[in-house]
Amino acid sequence: MSGDGGILGTIAEPVVMAARMGWQILWPLILGFTLSGVVQAVVRREVVRRYLAGDSPRNLAWATGLGAASSSCSYAAVALARSLFVKGASLASAMAFEIASTNLVLELGIILALFMGWQFTLAEFVGGPLMIVLVAVGFRLWLRGRVVDRAREEAERGRAGAMEGHASMDMSVQGEGSWWRRLASRDGVTAVSHYFVMDWASVIRDLVLGLLVAGVVAAWVPVSWLQAFFLTGNPVLASLWGPVAGPLVAVVSFVCSVGNVPLAAVLWNGGISFGGVVSFIFADLLIIPILLIYRRYYGTAAALRISGVFYLAMVLTGYAVELVFRPLGLVPHERAATVTEASFTWNYTTWLNLVFLVLAAVLVTRFVRTGGVPMLAQMNGSGDGHEDGAHRH
């Protein structure tokens, strides 16, 4: 804690730490959202629906791949999964798409590597498909028959959640030709700029909240408290407790999308197990506001089963990843995640941020000049009417 500024200095410390963490991850976010915009610009929504009609291994593989290519904030991913389910996708495939579009995306992997190390990025991309398989198995056991039929009836009622408008917008390029030809066209550049800005707009709230929560925990919560909570005094108990505790911490943190990575770094430095970090990051789909949205979308019975299957899959994935990674020597021995730099300096991070800010400015300018601004006001709308052509290029 900072003693120089008294109470004001203590209050300001989390904000300063949050700003420094945000500066560290700025260029990876811009890079990630740009590449994500490129992919989304050429992947048409009808292709997504076509391959998600069942819950076979092939359907789940398509759902995972297409979800990873369709980067979304957690709220938009949940809304899009409901839309896919209503339009004929199986519940398991819709949820696989939801998981992949928030937890198997490029920007998350880059930020994990930057903050915590490449081992955590590898764990995320190994654990993600495993979690999807576990969720599919759980759905076959506990979400079938009348429960699924009732969930579809509830979903078709169209009760609004969050980011409905954003989830329903299809901004991909619709012309003929190869993906490169479509991407290089004027409409292709416009589509990339629209996805870039809309994805940023959808995560900015969660990103700022996540940075502030991480700053508060890092600045105000003693490491000894975290170590006691995560049972670091007993390595065996710590490994057993970490994957169980990770999602529980995520539920009450209200942090989702890429915003939970800074907090994951703080928790790792504070003693949570390697598997606990994995389960915590996946649990952005179990924060309290999203649990309430599940209930609004699918009804109480289905929402409870979806949440229960998700939680169990996250815990088991955390255990499995640790059991595989530890014997292979892939679990870092030191808890030295880069939560924040000591000060702003002219280093490679600063230069990369400046370069990518220029790229961001170009894309934002394109977005504004091509009529994108009104779309921002529609992000939290009902979504009616957008998907079938209102925002196609």
Side-chain angles (χ1 to χ4, degrees):
M1 294 186 184
S2 176
D4 297 333
I7 295 177
L8 290 178
T10 301
I11 294 175
E13 188 174 0
V15 178
V16 173
M17 293 187 70
R20 290 173 178 168
M21 284 186 279
W23 183 248
Q24 286 178 244
I25 63 175
L26 182 58
W27 74 264
L29 281 174
I30 295 174
L31 172 61
F33 282 127
T34 301
L35 295 177
S36 174
V38 168
V39 174
Q40 292 180 83
V42 295
V43 177
R44 294 165 177 163
R45 187 65 57 82
E46 59 265 25
V47 175
V48 176
R49 296 195 201 102
R50 188 187 311 155
Y51 291 103
L52 271 63
D55 58 0
S56 68
R58 181 174 181 270
N59 294 132
L60 293 174
W62 272 107
T64 301
L66 292 169
S70 179
S71 175
S72 299
C73 80
S74 301
Y75 293 102
V78 171
L80 182 53
R82 192 268 297 265
S83 175
L84 294 170
F85 180 52
V86 169
K87 293 181 181 296
S90 70
L91 186 59
S93 291
M95 292 301 166
F97 183 95
E98 175 183 309
I99 294 167
S101 66
T102 59
N103 291 295
L104 291 177
V105 293
L106 181 63
E107 58 268 22
L108 178 64
I110 295 174
I111 294 173
L112 275 171
L114 187 67
F115 262 91
M116 307 180 68
W118 62 268
Q119 297 94 331
F120 290 92
T121 300
L122 180 61
E124 186 72 7
F125 286 96
V126 169
L130 174 59
M131 179 181 164
I132 288 171
V133 171
L134 292 172
V135 166
V137 172
F139 279 17
R140 287 208 171 191
L141 293 175
W142 297 301
L143 269 145
R144 56 185 182 179
R146 294 183 60 184
V147 177
V148 175
D149 293 338
R150 181 62 178 167
R152 195 179 297 275
E153 291 174 5
E154 292 291 330
E156 289 172 348
R157 295 178 185 272
R159 285 186 288 264
M163 292 291 170
E164 297 284 342
H166 177 55
S168 66
M169 294 177 185
D170 184 0
M171 299 174 285
S172 59
V173 186
Q174 298 299 311
E176 297 297 327
S178 66
W179 70 268
W180 173 250
R181 184 182 181 86
R182 286 183 284 130
L183 182 63
S185 67
R186 291 176 60 87
D187 285 345
V189 176
T190 298
V192 172
S193 72
H194 283 207
Y195 275 115
F196 176 82
V197 175
M198 296 298 286
D199 285 347
W200 262 105
S202 69
V203 304
I204 191 65
R205 176 184 61 183
D206 297 312
L207 180 60
V208 171
L209 178 61
L211 291 170
L212 288 173
V213 170
V216 167
V217 174
W220 292 352
V221 178
V223 174
S224 59
W225 291 13
L226 294 175
Q227 291 175 339
F229 178 73
F230 293 122
L231 308 178
T232 55
N234 189 317
V236 175
L237 288 179
S239 296
L240 293 174
W241 172 238
V244 174
L248 299 178
V249 174
V251 167
V252 299
S253 72
F254 286 75
V255 178
C256 59
S257 303
V258 293
N260 62 8
V261 175
L263 182 55
V266 173
L267 297 178
W268 171 248
N269 288 347
I272 192 172
S273 68
F274 187 79
V277 171
V278 173
S279 65
F280 169 81
I281 292 174
F282 284 136
D284 63 330
L285 295 172
L286 283 184
I287 64 173
I288 290 175
I290 287 181
L291 294 177
L292 296 176
I293 292 174
Y294 289 148
R295 181 175 180 271
R296 196 175 304 136
Y297 281 174
Y298 306 113
T300 301
L304 288 173
R305 297 192 188 200
I306 290 170
S307 304
V309 169
F310 271 24
Y311 178 75
L312 181 60
M314 291 166 188
V315 172
L316 293 177
T317 299
Y319 286 143
V321 169
E322 180 133 11
L323 284 173
V324 172
F325 276 51
R326 190 167 291 281
L328 296 176
L330 295 175
V331 176
H333 296 292
E334 296 183 2
R335 295 180 178 272
T338 306
V339 177
T340 180
E341 295 178 349
S343 62
F344 293 105
T345 58
W346 285 98
N347 55 15
Y348 80 95
T349 298
T350 301
W351 288 111
L352 285 172
N353 281 343
L354 293 176
V355 170
F356 280 94
L357 280 170
V358 173
L359 172 62
V362 171
L363 292 172
V364 171
T365 301
R366 181 72 175 181
F367 174 82
V368 172
R369 289 182 175 178
T370 53
V373 174
M375 295 165 61
L376 294 172
Q378 299 167 359
M379 289 182 63
N380 281 304
S382 65
D384 295 338
H386 299 317
E387 194 168 352
D388 295 322
H391 293 293
R392 288 191 169 181
H393 297 282

